[in-house]
Amino acid sequence: MEMGLYQQQSMNLVMTTELRQAIAILQVPSYELTSYLQEQALENPLIEITEPKGMFTTLKKSGRKNGVSSQSADKQSYDHLIIEQETLYDYLYKQSILLPLQEQDRKIFNYLLLSLNENGYLTVTAEETAAQFTATIANCEELISMLQKLEPTGIGARSLRECLLIQLSEQKLEHTLSYIIVDQHLELLAERKIKTLSELLNVPPQQIEEAADFLQTLDPRPGAAFSPPDEQSYLYPDVSVAVAVESGKLHISINEQYSPVLKLNDSYASLLQDKHKKSKFIDESYQKFNWLKKALEQRKETLLKITSEIVRVQEKYFHTFEKKDLIPLTLKDVADQIGVHESTVSRAVKNKVLQTSKGAVELKSFFSAKIYTQDGGSASATSAKTQIKKLIESENKLKPLSDQVLAALLEQNSGLSISRRTVAKYREELNIPSSSKRKRYS
C-alpha cells in the first residue's frame, strides 16, 4: 500500500465545555449545588449567587429571651448556644488525672490516649510505644493495663477478642463458658458454628446459644459513643410530592428553598451595554452566565419530568406507602417515556432525595429489576425482598428456611419465578445470614 495524504470525512461526538457543565449540574444534589455555583462565580465576575434560605435557620426575635431584650439581641454573643460534645480523649484524660503516674509515665499514657481510634481500640503496640519513648516494654504493658481499667469498659483493647475479655473480666466472668468461647473459639462463634463448638467444649448446643446471646449484650465498640456526629446532619430534598386535600391528586414541586438563585451581577451588567468598555472577557463571561442559567433550568425541568413519570407509575404507592404496591420500574422505562437517554435519567436521580408525607426517600430507590410471575405479569425486586424478609421472620428458628425453599414458597404464594441464587442475593442485601447461621437449638 502506497504512503500518502488522504482526506476523509467522519462524524465524532464532541463533549463541549457547556455539555460537561450541564451534565455536572444535573447530577449534583441540592446540598452541593451552592458550592458548585460558588466555584463558578469565582471565575466569572458576572455571576452572583444568593444563598438558599431553606438551608439556614434564623433566630426569631422576641420581647425578651433568656433575660436579654430584643433591642440588644443583635449585639449579644451566641457562643452560649454552641454545645460542644465531649470527646473520648477528654473523657479519659479527666480520669487519668487521678492516676499515680510519674512525669515520664504520664507522657506515655497521654500518647496512648491519643493513639485510640474512634471505636476505642489502641492502634499502637507496647513495643512501638517503648521504642517511641525509650522505655521498657513491661512498663508500657503496665500503662496499657491501667488504660484498660478506665471507663467505658473495654477501652484500650487491641482486638475485638481483648475488648470482650476485658468486659467479661469486669463482671467477674473469667471461668464462664462465654469467656472460654471468646478466648479460644471466637472465630467459630462468628461463623455461628454452634454444633462444632458444642462438640469441642462438650456442652449442649443450647448452652452455646445462651452464651452467644449474652455476648451480644457486650459492646464491641466502647468508644463509638464519643464519635462526632456525621457532618451531613440535615437532609435537603430536591423534589416534593404531596397529596392535594380537596382533589386527592398528587402535586409535584421542586424545593426552591434549597436551591441557590443565580443572578447577573449589577456592578458589571452596565459594561454589557457600553460598546466602548465591553471587552472579549466580559462577552465570554456573559455567554457562560447564560449557559449556566440554561443548565440550571434544564436540571429543574428534567427532575420534574422524571419525578412526574415516577409518580404516574407509582401513584398507588404514594397513597398507601406499602412496598408491595411498588410497580417494577427501570431507568429505560422512564427514559423512553420522557424522551431522553437512559444515562440522563441515571445522572438526574443520583444522590437526589424525594420528600413525601411519610418522609424522605432517594429517587433511585423507585427503580428496581423486574421479576416475572407465572401468569406473565411482573413484580419489583423491592416487593420480593419484602416477602423474603416476612418469610424469614415467621420461620421456625429450629428449622430455618433454605434459599431453595424460600424460592419455592415465593413461587407458590406469589407466583414469583426467582432462582435460588437470586434469593441468596436479595437475602444478603437485606443483611440476613444464611439458614445455617440462623439455626437455633433452643
Side-chain angles (χ1 to χ4, degrees), residues 278-414:
K278 186 178 180 181
S279 64
K280 184 179 179 182
F281 173 73
I282 294 295
D283 191 36
E284 290 178 352
S285 298
Y286 184 62
Q287 290 181 9
K288 290 178 180 178
F289 167 80
N290 286 329
W291 268 107
L292 191 58
K293 193 173 183 180
K294 184 179 178 182
L296 288 171
E297 289 296 325
Q298 190 175 5
R299 175 185 184 272
K300 178 180 176 181
E301 183 182 345
T302 304
L303 268 176
L304 278 174
K305 284 183 178 180
I306 292 173
T307 308
S308 299
E309 180 61 19
I310 292 174
V311 171
R312 185 188 69 80
V313 176
Q314 311 288 5
E315 184 175 1
K316 185 178 180 181
Y317 170 79
F318 285 104
H319 286 286
T320 64
F321 292 98
E322 296 286 343
K323 288 187 177 181
K324 62 181 179 63
D325 294 327
L326 281 174
I327 297 174
L329 186 66
T330 63
L331 296 172
K332 190 176 186 305
D333 293 337
V334 174
D336 291 341
Q337 287 295 325
I338 66 175
V340 297
H341 195 270
E342 186 178 344
S343 62
T344 301
V345 179
S346 176
R347 291 189 182 99
V349 301
K350 183 181 181 182
N351 297 325
K352 304 298 191 306
V353 177
L354 176 67
Q355 179 67 48
T356 71
S357 59
K358 294 292 184 179
V361 292
E362 287 187 303
L363 271 177
K364 66 179 182 180
S365 66
F366 292 99
F367 298 94
S368 61
K370 290 183 180 180
I371 300 173
Y372 294 98
T373 59
Q374 291 177 332
D375 57 2
S378 61
S380 67
T382 305
S383 62
K385 290 179 184 178
T386 303
Q387 294 185 52
I388 290 172
K389 188 176 181 181
K390 287 182 178 179
L391 287 171
I392 292 176
E393 286 175 351
S394 60
E395 70 183 358
N396 182 0
K397 301 303 178 184
L398 300 177
K399 295 181 180 179
L401 303 173
S402 65
D403 295 336
Q404 187 65 50
V405 174
L406 287 171
L409 287 174
L410 287 172
E411 186 172 357
Q412 178 184 335
N413 299 340
S414 309

Side-chain angles (χ1 to χ4, degrees), residues 59-75:
L59 292 170
K60 295 182 179 179
K61 295 180 181 179
S62 57
R64 293 183 67 83
K65 182 84 170 180
N66 295 331
V68 182
S69 64
S70 59
Q71 187 175 6
S72 60
D74 293 336
K75 298 180 181 179

